[in-house]
Amino acid sequence: MKQAIAQVTLVVKNYDEAIEFYTKKLGFTLVDDIALDEGKRWVTVSPPSLSGLSLLLAEATNEEQRKAVGNQTGGRVFLFLHTDDFWRDYKRMQEQGVEFNEDPRDEPYGTVVVFKDLYGNLWDLIERK
């Protein structure tokens, strides 16, 4: 049996502002933006390599979902963005105004820095050793 996790849902305040952040500031590719019933959309974004996992951006539609925006993991790092060139991507993200929580550091597994998305979810940018 062959299986893979293909998508992770990320609850967002607004489709368009989330698309703007992920495509402009992080350089992701907009894979899908398909209108559905009741004003919903099927919106997926992925790092430019388009290999592996993509994010399904889901606009919050009720109070419970709105409370989860920016805190989907209770303040822990939520997603891990691997790169083949840490310093290239770190500098580009700095130029785009991405907010970092710390200075880059070397760990046994690679070079890493924590950053926030537009809602405050924490991410790691990692170049593996």
Side-chain angles (χ1 to χ4, degrees):
M1 180 182 339
K2 199 172 189 179
Q3 296 179 331
I5 296 174
Q7 293 174 323
V8 171
T9 299
L10 181 63
V11 182
V12 300
K13 287 182 186 174
N14 177 275
Y15 290 119
D16 295 321
E17 70 183 12
I19 291 168
E20 172 93 6
F21 177 84
Y22 286 101
T23 60
K24 302 290 190 233
K25 297 201 180 242
L26 297 189
F28 282 23
T29 300
L30 177 61
V31 179
D32 296 301
D33 188 354
I34 301 166
L36 304 173
D37 293 338
E38 301 174 16
K40 292 184 179 182
R41 291 157 57 183
W42 181 266
V43 177
T44 60
V45 294
S46 176
S49 64
L50 294 178
S51 62
L53 190 73
S54 65
L55 293 177
L56 173 67
L57 304 179
E59 193 171 275
T61 59
N62 61 44
E63 188 57 31
E64 184 177 353
Q65 292 174 8
R66 282 187 281 281
K67 287 179 183 177
V69 173
N71 192 27
Q72 296 204 154
T73 58
R76 295 198 56 144
V77 171
F78 177 45
L79 296 165
F80 300 81
L81 181 60
H82 286 203
T83 178
D84 64 347
D85 187 334
F86 178 89
W87 293 106
R88 174 199 64 211
D89 291 345
Y90 175 71
K91 289 176 185 173
R92 187 185 60 73
M93 290 166 67
Q94 277 185 313
E95 291 168 0
Q96 293 298 318
V98 173
E99 183 180 342
F100 293 90
N101 284 20
E102 61 184 9
D103 291 327
R105 64 185 193 282
D106 288 318
E107 295 290 347
Y109 54 85
T111 305
V112 63
V113 68
V114 176
F115 69 93
K116 292 181 181 180
D117 70 13
L118 74 164
Y119 301 117
N121 291 302
L122 299 178
W123 289 63
D124 273 358
L125 175 65
I126 301 173
E127 182 178 357
R128 303 269 310 169
K129 286 189 179 178

